[in-house]
Every structure is written in structure tokens, then in C-alpha cells.
Amino acid sequence: MSNAPQKIANPILPGFNPDPSICRVGDDYYIATSTFEWFPGVQIHHSRDLKNWRLATRPLTRPDQLDMRGNPDSCGIWAPCLTHADGLFWLVYTDVKRKDGSFKDAHNYIVTAPAIEGPWSGPVYTNSSGFDPSLFHDDDGRKWHLNMIWDHRVGHNSFTGIALQEYDPVAKKLTGPVRNIFKGTSLGLVEGPHLYKRDGCYYLLTAEGGTGYDHAVTLARSKSIEGPYELHPQTHVLTSRFDPDNPIQRSGHGDIVETQNGETYLVHLMGRPRLGQNRCQMGRETSIQKCVWDKDGWLRLAAGGTAPERQVEGPDLPVHPFPPEPENHDFDEAALPAAFQWLRTPYPERIFSLTERPGHLRLFGRESVGSFFEQALVARRQTHYDYEAETLVDFQPGSFQQAAGLIAYYGRYQFFYLAIEGDGDGGRVLTIYTCPGTHPNDAIQAPLDRPVSLPESGPVAMKVTVEGVALRFSFKVGEADWQRIGPAFDATILSDEAAGRGAHGNFTGAFVGMHAMDTSGGAKAADFDCFSYRNL
């Protein structure tokens, strides 16, 4: 017997977890979200009650599946689609190699697995005509591939519609004509297609309005998969654009799931600006809304209207909690804790090791902070507005070109870095490097009047605290008390909106973690004894 329905608080996946695609297999629910330049690619969370979620896997782990070295910030994995058919999980994803300017270089692939944990196959290339691919399994056994179509031509609508083409799973390629089945509405920027079939009708769910504050979920339907598609009477099933006081903003890019009991839910992208500022430090997150199919055959929010709710009624399913994520990591295991990711490279052995010094995460200093190629940064998502993170680093730099420490990071031009580095005379100092993110050509800044001298050897404890919009660093050596270092920084710099291009300039979220660089090319190692993160 199931428990009485309970409330689900949004977001269900806090922190950087955008573009959700949801899939139910029996009693199990899975959500795949975009990971952009963070490796391994695609986060897949698991739930049995739609309220409690745990990270199940990141399936794109191998060089043949994904190599993002050289991908600019906010490129890489865009909008994966997860489905289940024929006894397999099917994951469709884009690897974006360029996003700025008139062109988009976006390559689409399919991988499959018999179980969510894998093993996941090598990729099948499908096309490069646009991003946000998805796969629809029709009830006649045919499979259809969709993606938005990108038009680079000057004077043309860049988001020119949704492409539909049949996929042949035996030949492992797209086949037959390509059709533009939906050009979107006057809101524009149509993307993120998902296709469903219900009562003989095909329903096409898309995202529109861009991923900023005009974002929306649009629904259309047709008796034929090729169209023409009739618009929903409200046009949009979900949007926050008419509700500026709603704490859930940027609502769009959704996917639908039906429970075992016939209830319908919509998962969708969202953002949480703080203190009236249009800056979302956690980036784009995942929420859920309860829906109903009305007598006219259209999907609507159960609460009415189009605005998202902060709390929704959960499904009639048994409550299924998971153990909480540990706050402290001592790096005593041979594998990196699941909370952590790194940037771009499918060769992690070149940037870190958990075995070279047991009980420590060893980072090998590689390219400079912000490199698009090989950067030794291991970090976890910021999932709370107020948090505290600590680490203990043992690092003996041989020159001023070698540095290691604690970093709060969004991207190449948005970070705060507390680092041990060489002073040029054989000693060690503690310094801070920042980049304010207001313009792509902003140079690195060093806000301390002078670096702080450190003992010749020994570990240094480092802490970052974010409270309100203030980010502060502290450190201590040995048994000394914590000592503040540097000013209070603007924590909202670590957001999509802070880089001078609004919500459409960047697409990830704030991370906090450990970093090492060696611009001399010597791969100087830094050893991190522990890392902790706790909600304040």
C-alpha cells in the first residue's frame, strides 16, 4: 500500500542540473541533465517517488564517447534525451564545439545500455544540423530522431524549426527525408523537442524564449507525426515570464512522465535569482510540476495557469528516501567520490590520482586556471546559497609558475582562487586570484596588497564561506585559528548572468573544489587530504 501523497519542494535537483529529460522504467524514474564542459558527461539521477533523488551514473566516461578538450566554456554536452525501449536505455546527446557568433558546431550521438549503470555502448553519430536531439519510439516499432535546426545565415531565423528524421537502429543511421515539422511561435528560439503519442495524437513539447527570463514550455499536437501541428490553446504549458515575483524563474525546457498510477508530471529547467537580483548562482536547476490531461486532450498544470509552483503534490507512491550525501571526503577510496567532476578531458589519470599518495587526492599541475584543454580542477556543484567548504592542501611549489589551492569556479572569466604558490625566491606564499567576469577580455586580478608568507613546508587549511552575496576566504596553518584573507567578494559573479551577456551568455553553474596549475610544464603535484562541503 502506498503512502498518502506528500508535497515535493522545488527544485528537486538543486545546483547546476539543466535541461531535464525524464524516463520511467517500471517503478524507477531517471532524469538526465546537461553537463556541458564537465566530465564525465551527462548526469543521470534516480528516484522511486519523484521527490527523493540520488545520482545514479554519468554514462559518458570514455574517450570514444566524449572528448571535450578545446571546447569553450558552456559548450560540450547540451540537452541529452533519455528513453527506454526494446530492453535498452537510449541516450541521445550533443557535443557542442562552438557556441559564440553566427555558427554552432554541434554533433549529435546515440549510446545505449541494458541497465542504467551500463555498460554504455560506443556512440553512433547521427547529424550536426542543430542541437537538443531526442529520440521517439513509436508504437509501430519505428524510431524518430528530432533536433532543433540551426540556420547561420545572416538575416535568417537562427532557430528555424524542429527537424524530424527516421532512425534505423539496425543500420545505426538516420534514413529518409528530413522534415521541419514545427517552426515555433512568435516567442521564438524553438528548441528542446520531445515527442509523445496519446490517444492517436502526436504531442510535441518544445522549449522557447531562450533559457533566460522569457523561457517557456510550448505544446502542440497533430494526427500525423509529420504535422501540421496545432498549438495548445494557451500556447505555453509553463512559463515564469508573466510572474516576476515567483521565486522560480527561467522556467522552460521540459519533459513529461506518467506514473504507474496514471498521474502526469512535467520536469523542467528553472533558476532561482536571489535578493531581487537577476543572477542565479546555482545556475539552471530542475523542478517538477503536477499536470492533468483535460477533456479537450490538452496537458495543463494541475494548479491552473502557467506559472510554476514552489511546492507540488507528490504522486501516490511509497516514499523512498536515499542516504544523504556525505559532507566530508577523506579520499580513502580508490575512486573519486560521486559528487565531484573535472573539466573536459577523458584522461583523468593525467590530472589526478587517488593512489599515488593514499588518503589524498593528488592533483598534477597542468595548464592555467581557465584553460580549455587540460586543467587540473576537481570540484563539486554549489547546491545551497549559503555554504562553507574546506580543504587541507600539502603543496611545495618550486617556482612562481606553480600554484594549488581552493577555488570557487564558474568558468574561465568567473572564479575566485585561494592558492599557495612559489614566491620566486624558493619560498611559499598564499595569494588570491580572481576574475570578475564582466567582459571576456578581463584580466586576472590579485586583490591582496601583498601575498601572505607561509612556512617553508607543511599543509595549509583553506576555507571558503558564502553567505548572502558575500564570498570570503580563510586559512590556517597547524593548530592556529582560522584567519580571514582578502576582502568579501561578490558571490553572484559565479552565475550565468554575470558575464555581461545576460542569461544567454553562459549555461552552467557555480562549483567549489580543488585546483593545481603548473605553467612551467613540470606537472608539479599537490596533495589534498580532505574536502568538506556543508549547507549553512
Coordinates of all heavy atoms in Angstrom, one line a residue, residues 343-402:
L343 N 37.1 18.9 -15.6 CA 36.8 19.6 -16.9 C 37.4 18.9 -18.1 O 38.6 18.6 -18.2 CB 37.4 21.0 -16.8 CG 36.6 22.0 -15.9 CD1 37.4 23.3 -15.7 CD2 35.3 22.3 -16.4
R344 N 36.5 18.6 -19.1 CA 36.8 18.3 -20.5 C 37.5 17.0 -20.8 O 37.2 16.4 -21.8 CB 37.6 19.5 -21.0 CG 36.8 20.8 -21.1 CD 37.7 21.9 -21.7 NE 36.8 23.1 -21.8 CZ 36.7 24.0 -20.9 NH1 37.3 23.9 -19.7 NH2 35.9 25.1 -21.1
T345 N 38.6 16.7 -20.1 CA 39.4 15.6 -20.6 C 38.9 14.2 -20.2 O 38.5 14.0 -19.1 CB 40.9 15.8 -20.0 OG1 41.7 14.7 -20.5 CG2 40.9 15.8 -18.5
P346 N 39.0 13.3 -21.2 CA 38.6 11.9 -20.9 C 39.8 11.1 -20.3 O 39.7 9.9 -20.2 CB 38.2 11.3 -22.2 CG 39.0 12.1 -23.2 CD 39.2 13.5 -22.6
Y347 N 40.9 11.8 -20.0 CA 42.1 11.1 -19.5 C 42.4 11.6 -18.1 O 43.3 12.4 -17.9 CB 43.3 11.4 -20.4 CG 43.0 10.8 -21.8 CD1 42.7 11.7 -22.9 CD2 43.1 9.4 -22.1 CE1 42.5 11.2 -24.1 CE2 42.9 8.9 -23.3 CZ 42.6 9.8 -24.4 OH 42.3 9.3 -25.6
P348 N 41.5 11.3 -17.1 CA 41.7 11.8 -15.8 C 43.0 11.5 -15.1 O 43.5 12.2 -14.2 CB 40.5 11.2 -15.0 CG 40.1 10.0 -15.7 CD 40.4 10.3 -17.2
E349 N 43.6 10.4 -15.5 CA 44.9 10.0 -14.9 C 46.0 11.0 -15.1 O 47.0 11.0 -14.4 CB 45.3 8.6 -15.4 CG 45.7 8.6 -16.9 CD 44.5 8.4 -17.8 OE1 43.4 8.4 -17.4 OE2 44.8 8.3 -19.1
R350 N 45.8 11.9 -16.0 CA 46.8 13.0 -16.3 C 46.6 14.2 -15.3 O 47.5 15.0 -15.2 CB 46.7 13.4 -17.7 CG 47.4 12.5 -18.7 CD 47.6 13.1 -20.1 NE 48.1 14.4 -20.1 CZ 49.5 14.7 -20.0 NH1 50.4 13.7 -19.9 NH2 49.9 16.0 -20.1
I351 N 45.4 14.2 -14.7 CA 45.2 15.4 -13.8 C 45.0 15.0 -12.4 O 45.2 15.9 -11.5 CB 44.0 16.2 -14.3 CG1 42.7 15.5 -14.3 CG2 44.3 16.8 -15.7 CD1 41.5 16.3 -14.5
F352 N 44.7 13.8 -12.1 CA 44.6 13.4 -10.6 C 44.8 11.9 -10.4 O 44.7 11.1 -11.3 CB 43.2 13.9 -10.0 CG 42.0 13.1 -10.5 CD1 41.6 11.9 -9.9 CD2 41.2 13.6 -11.5 CE1 40.5 11.2 -10.4 CE2 40.1 12.9 -12.0 CZ 39.7 11.7 -11.4
S353 N 45.1 11.6 -9.1 CA 45.3 10.2 -8.7 C 44.9 10.1 -7.2 O 45.1 11.0 -6.4 CB 46.8 9.8 -8.8 OG 47.0 8.6 -8.1
L354 N 44.2 9.0 -6.9 CA 43.8 8.7 -5.5 C 44.7 7.6 -4.9 O 44.5 7.2 -3.8 CB 42.4 8.3 -5.5 CG 41.4 9.5 -5.6 CD1 40.1 9.0 -6.3 CD2 41.1 10.1 -4.3
T355 N 45.7 7.2 -5.7 CA 46.5 6.0 -5.2 C 48.0 6.4 -5.0 O 48.7 5.7 -4.3 CB 46.5 4.9 -6.2 OG1 46.9 5.3 -7.5 CG2 45.1 4.3 -6.3
E356 N 48.5 7.5 -5.7 CA 49.9 7.8 -5.6 C 50.3 8.2 -4.2 O 51.4 7.9 -3.7 CB 50.3 9.0 -6.6 CG 50.3 8.5 -8.0 CD 51.3 9.2 -8.8 OE1 52.1 10.0 -8.3 OE2 51.4 8.9 -10.1
R357 N 49.4 8.9 -3.4 CA 49.6 9.1 -2.0 C 48.3 8.7 -1.3 O 47.3 9.5 -1.3 CB 49.9 10.6 -1.7 CG 50.2 10.8 -0.3 CD 50.6 12.3 0.0 NE 50.8 12.5 1.4 CZ 51.1 13.7 2.0 NH1 51.2 14.8 1.2 NH2 51.2 13.9 3.3
P358 N 48.2 7.5 -0.8 CA 47.0 7.0 -0.2 C 46.4 8.0 0.8 O 47.1 8.6 1.6 CB 47.4 5.7 0.4 CG 48.5 5.2 -0.4 CD 49.3 6.5 -0.8
G359 N 45.1 8.1 0.8 CA 44.4 9.0 1.7 C 44.4 10.5 1.2 O 43.9 11.3 2.0
H360 N 44.8 10.7 0.0 CA 44.9 12.0 -0.5 C 44.4 12.0 -2.0 O 44.6 11.0 -2.7 CB 46.3 12.6 -0.5 CG 46.9 12.8 0.8 ND1 47.3 11.8 1.7 CD2 47.1 14.0 1.5 CE1 47.7 12.3 2.8 NE2 47.6 13.6 2.8
L361 N 43.9 13.2 -2.4 CA 43.6 13.4 -3.8 C 44.8 14.2 -4.3 O 45.1 15.3 -3.9 CB 42.4 14.2 -4.0 CG 42.1 14.7 -5.5 CD1 41.8 13.5 -6.4 CD2 40.9 15.7 -5.5
R362 N 45.6 13.6 -5.2 CA 46.8 14.2 -5.8 C 46.4 14.9 -7.1 O 45.9 14.2 -8.0 CB 47.9 13.3 -6.0 CG 49.1 13.8 -6.8 CD 50.4 13.0 -6.6 NE 50.9 13.2 -5.3 CZ 52.1 12.6 -4.9 NH1 52.8 11.9 -5.7 NH2 52.5 12.9 -3.6
L363 N 46.6 16.2 -7.2 CA 46.4 16.9 -8.5 C 47.7 17.1 -9.1 O 48.7 17.6 -8.5 CB 45.6 18.2 -8.3 CG 44.2 18.1 -7.8 CD1 43.6 19.5 -7.8 CD2 43.3 17.1 -8.5
F364 N 47.8 16.9 -10.4 CA 49.0 17.2 -11.2 C 48.9 18.5 -11.8 O 48.0 18.7 -12.7 CB 49.3 16.1 -12.2 CG 49.4 14.7 -11.6 CD1 48.4 13.8 -11.8 CD2 50.5 14.3 -10.8 CE1 48.4 12.5 -11.3 CE2 50.5 13.0 -10.3 CZ 49.5 12.1 -10.5
G365 N 49.7 19.5 -11.5 CA 49.5 20.8 -12.0 C 49.6 20.8 -13.6 O 50.7 20.3 -14.1
R366 N 48.7 21.3 -14.2 CA 48.7 21.3 -15.7 C 48.6 22.7 -16.2 O 49.3 23.6 -15.7 CB 47.6 20.4 -16.3 CG 47.7 18.9 -15.9 CD 49.0 18.3 -16.5 NE 49.1 16.9 -16.2 CZ 50.2 16.2 -16.5 NH1 51.2 16.7 -17.2 NH2 50.3 14.9 -16.2
E367 N 47.7 23.0 -17.1 CA 47.6 24.3 -17.7 C 46.9 25.3 -16.7 O 46.4 24.9 -15.6 CB 46.8 24.3 -19.0 CG 47.6 23.5 -20.0 CD 46.9 23.3 -21.3 OE1 45.6 23.4 -21.4 OE2 47.5 22.9 -22.3
S368 N 46.9 26.6 -17.1 CA 46.5 27.6 -16.2 C 45.0 27.5 -15.9 O 44.2 26.9 -16.7 CB 46.8 29.0 -16.8 OG 46.2 29.1 -18.1
V369 N 44.6 28.2 -14.8 CA 43.2 28.2 -14.5 C 42.4 28.9 -15.6 O 42.8 29.9 -16.1 CB 42.9 29.0 -13.1 CG1 43.5 30.4 -13.2 CG2 41.5 29.0 -12.8
G370 N 41.3 28.2 -16.1 CA 40.6 28.7 -17.2 C 41.0 28.1 -18.5 O 40.3 28.3 -19.5
S371 N 42.0 27.2 -18.5 CA 42.3 26.6 -19.8 C 41.2 25.7 -20.4 O 40.4 25.1 -19.6 CB 43.5 25.6 -19.6 OG 43.7 24.8 -20.7
F372 N 41.1 25.8 -21.7 CA 40.0 25.0 -22.4 C 40.5 23.6 -22.7 O 39.8 22.8 -23.3 CB 39.6 25.6 -23.7 CG 38.8 26.9 -23.5 CD1 38.7 27.8 -24.6 CD2 38.2 27.2 -22.3 CE1 38.0 29.0 -24.4 CE2 37.5 28.4 -22.2 CZ 37.4 29.3 -23.2
F373 N 41.7 23.2 -22.3 CA 42.3 21.9 -22.8 C 42.5 21.0 -21.6 O 41.8 20.0 -21.4 CB 43.5 22.2 -23.6 CG 43.2 22.8 -24.9 CD1 43.1 24.1 -25.1 CD2 43.0 22.0 -26.0 CE1 42.8 24.7 -26.3 CE2 42.7 22.5 -27.3 CZ 42.6 23.9 -27.4
E374 N 43.6 21.2 -20.8 CA 43.9 20.3 -19.7 C 44.1 21.0 -18.4 O 45.2 21.6 -18.2 CB 45.2 19.5 -20.1 CG 45.4 18.3 -19.2 CD 46.5 17.4 -19.7 OE1 47.6 17.9 -19.9 OE2 46.3 16.2 -19.9
Q375 N 43.1 21.1 -17.6 CA 43.1 21.9 -16.4 C 42.9 20.9 -15.2 O 41.9 20.2 -15.2 CB 42.1 22.9 -16.5 CG 42.1 23.9 -15.3 CD 41.0 24.9 -15.3 OE1 40.8 25.7 -14.4 NE2 40.3 25.1 -16.5
A376 N 43.8 21.0 -14.2 CA 43.6 20.1 -13.0 C 42.7 20.8 -12.0 O 43.1 21.4 -11.1 CB 45.0 19.8 -12.4
L377 N 41.4 20.6 -12.3 CA 40.4 21.1 -11.4 C 39.4 20.0 -11.1 O 38.8 19.5 -12.0 CB 39.7 22.3 -12.0 CG 38.8 23.2 -11.1 CD1 38.5 24.5 -11.8 CD2 37.4 22.5 -10.8
V378 N 39.2 19.7 -9.8 CA 38.3 18.7 -9.4 C 37.3 19.4 -8.4 O 37.8 19.9 -7.4 CB 38.9 17.5 -8.7 CG1 37.9 16.5 -8.1 CG2 39.8 16.7 -9.7
A379 N 36.0 19.4 -8.7 CA 35.1 20.2 -7.9 C 33.7 19.6 -7.9 O 33.4 18.7 -8.6 CB 35.0 21.6 -8.6
R380 N 32.9 20.2 -7.0 CA 31.5 19.7 -6.8 C 30.6 21.0 -7.0 O 31.0 22.1 -6.8 CB 31.3 19.1 -5.5 CG 31.6 19.9 -4.3 CD 30.7 19.6 -3.1 NE 29.3 20.1 -3.4 CZ 28.3 19.5 -2.8 NH1 28.4 18.5 -1.9 NH2 27.1 20.0 -3.0
R381 N 29.4 20.7 -7.3 CA 28.4 21.8 -7.5 C 28.1 22.5 -6.2 O 28.1 21.9 -5.1 CB 27.1 21.2 -8.0 CG 27.1 20.8 -9.5 CD 26.0 19.8 -9.8 NE 26.0 19.6 -11.2 CZ 26.9 18.8 -11.8 NH1 27.9 18.3 -11.1 NH2 26.9 18.6 -13.1
Q382 N 27.9 23.8 -6.3 CA 27.3 24.6 -5.3 C 25.8 24.3 -5.3 O 25.1 24.5 -6.3 CB 27.5 26.1 -5.4 CG 26.9 26.9 -4.4 CD 27.0 28.4 -4.6 OE1 27.9 28.9 -5.3 NE2 26.2 29.2 -3.9
T383 N 25.2 23.8 -4.2 CA 23.8 23.4 -4.2 C 23.0 24.2 -3.2 O 21.9 23.9 -3.0 CB 23.7 21.9 -4.0 OG1 24.5 21.5 -2.8 CG2 24.1 21.1 -5.2
H384 N 23.7 25.1 -2.5 CA 23.0 26.0 -1.5 C 23.5 27.4 -1.7 O 24.7 27.6 -2.0 CB 23.3 25.5 -0.1 CG 23.0 24.0 0.2 ND1 23.9 23.0 -0.1 CD2 21.8 23.4 0.6 CE1 23.3 21.9 0.2 NE2 22.1 22.1 0.6
Y385 N 22.6 28.3 -1.4 CA 23.1 29.7 -1.5 C 24.1 30.1 -0.4 O 25.0 30.8 -0.6 CB 21.9 30.7 -1.4 CG 21.3 31.1 -2.8 CD1 20.1 30.6 -3.2 CD2 22.1 31.9 -3.6 CE1 19.7 30.9 -4.5 CE2 21.6 32.2 -4.8 CZ 20.4 31.7 -5.3 OH 20.0 32.1 -6.5
D386 N 23.9 29.5 0.8 CA 24.9 29.7 1.9 C 25.6 28.4 2.2 O 24.9 27.4 2.5 CB 24.2 30.3 3.1 CG 23.4 31.6 2.8 OD1 24.0 32.5 2.2 OD2 22.2 31.7 3.2
Y387 N 26.9 28.4 2.0 CA 27.6 27.2 2.3 C 29.0 27.5 2.8 O 29.5 28.6 2.7 CB 27.7 26.3 1.0 CG 28.7 26.8 0.0 CD1 30.0 26.3 0.0 CD2 28.4 27.7 -1.0 CE1 31.0 26.8 -0.9 CE2 29.3 28.1 -1.9 CZ 30.6 27.7 -1.8 OH 31.5 28.1 -2.7
E388 N 29.7 26.4 3.2 CA 31.1 26.5 3.7 C 31.8 25.3 3.1 O 31.3 24.2 3.3 CB 31.1 26.6 5.2 CG 32.5 26.9 5.8 CD 32.4 27.2 7.2 OE1 32.3 26.3 8.0 OE2 32.4 28.4 7.6
A389 N 33.0 25.5 2.6 CA 33.8 24.4 2.0 C 35.2 24.5 2.5 O 35.7 25.6 2.6 CB 33.8 24.3 0.5
E390 N 35.8 23.4 2.9 CA 37.2 23.4 3.4 C 38.0 22.3 2.8 O 37.5 21.3 2.3 CB 37.2 23.1 5.0 CG 36.5 24.1 5.8 CD 36.6 23.7 7.3 OE1 37.5 23.0 7.7 OE2 35.7 24.2 8.1
T391 N 39.3 22.5 2.7 CA 40.2 21.5 2.3 C 41.6 21.7 3.0 O 41.8 22.8 3.6 CB 40.4 21.6 0.8 OG1 41.1 20.4 0.3 CG2 41.2 22.8 0.3
L392 N 42.4 20.7 2.9 CA 43.7 20.8 3.5 C 44.7 20.4 2.4 O 44.7 19.2 1.9 CB 43.9 19.8 4.7 CG 45.2 19.8 5.5 CD1 45.5 21.1 6.1 CD2 45.2 18.7 6.5
V393 N 45.6 21.3 2.0 CA 46.5 21.0 0.9 C 47.9 21.0 1.3 O 48.4 21.9 2.0 CB 46.2 22.1 -0.3 CG1 46.3 23.5 0.2 CG2 47.1 21.8 -1.5
D394 N 48.6 20.1 0.8 CA 50.1 19.9 1.0 C 50.7 20.2 -0.3 O 50.6 19.3 -1.2 CB 50.4 18.6 1.6 CG 51.8 18.5 2.1 OD1 52.6 19.5 2.0 OD2 52.2 17.4 2.6
F395 N 51.4 21.3 -0.4 CA 52.0 21.7 -1.7 C 53.3 22.4 -1.5 O 53.4 23.4 -0.7 CB 51.0 22.6 -2.5 CG 51.4 23.0 -3.8 CD1 51.7 22.1 -4.8 CD2 51.5 24.4 -4.2 CE1 52.1 22.5 -6.1 CE2 51.9 24.8 -5.4 CZ 52.2 23.8 -6.4
Q396 N 54.3 22.0 -2.3 CA 55.6 22.6 -2.2 C 56.1 23.1 -3.5 O 56.7 22.4 -4.3 CB 56.6 21.5 -1.7 CG 57.9 22.0 -1.1 CD 57.6 22.7 0.2 OE1 56.8 22.3 1.0 NE2 58.4 23.8 0.5
P397 N 55.6 24.3 -3.9 CA 56.0 24.9 -5.2 C 57.5 25.1 -5.3 O 58.1 25.5 -4.4 CB 55.2 26.2 -5.3 CG 55.0 26.6 -3.8 CD 54.9 25.3 -3.0
G398 N 57.9 24.9 -6.6 CA 59.3 25.2 -6.8 C 59.5 26.5 -7.5 O 60.7 27.0 -7.7
S399 N 58.4 27.1 -8.0 CA 58.6 28.4 -8.7 C 57.2 29.1 -8.6 O 56.2 28.6 -8.2 CB 59.0 28.2 -10.2 OG 57.9 27.9 -11.0
F400 N 57.3 30.4 -9.1 CA 56.0 31.2 -9.1 C 55.0 30.7 -10.1 O 53.9 31.1 -10.2 CB 56.4 32.7 -9.4 CG 56.9 32.9 -10.7 CD1 56.1 33.2 -11.8 CD2 58.3 32.9 -10.9 CE1 56.6 33.4 -13.1 CE2 58.8 33.2 -12.2 CZ 58.0 33.4 -13.3
Q401 N 55.5 29.8 -11.0 CA 54.6 29.2 -12.0 C 53.8 28.0 -11.6 O 53.0 27.5 -12.3 CB 55.4 28.9 -13.3 CG 56.0 30.1 -14.0 CD 56.8 29.7 -15.2 OE1 57.6 28.8 -15.2 NE2 56.5 30.3 -16.3
Q402 N 54.0 27.7 -10.3 CA 53.3 26.5 -9.7 C 52.4 27.0 -8.6 O 52.8 27.7 -7.7 CB 54.3 25.5 -9.2 CG 55.2 25.0 -10.3 CD 56.4 24.2 -9.8 OE1 56.8 24.3 -8.7 NE2 57.0 23.4 -10.7

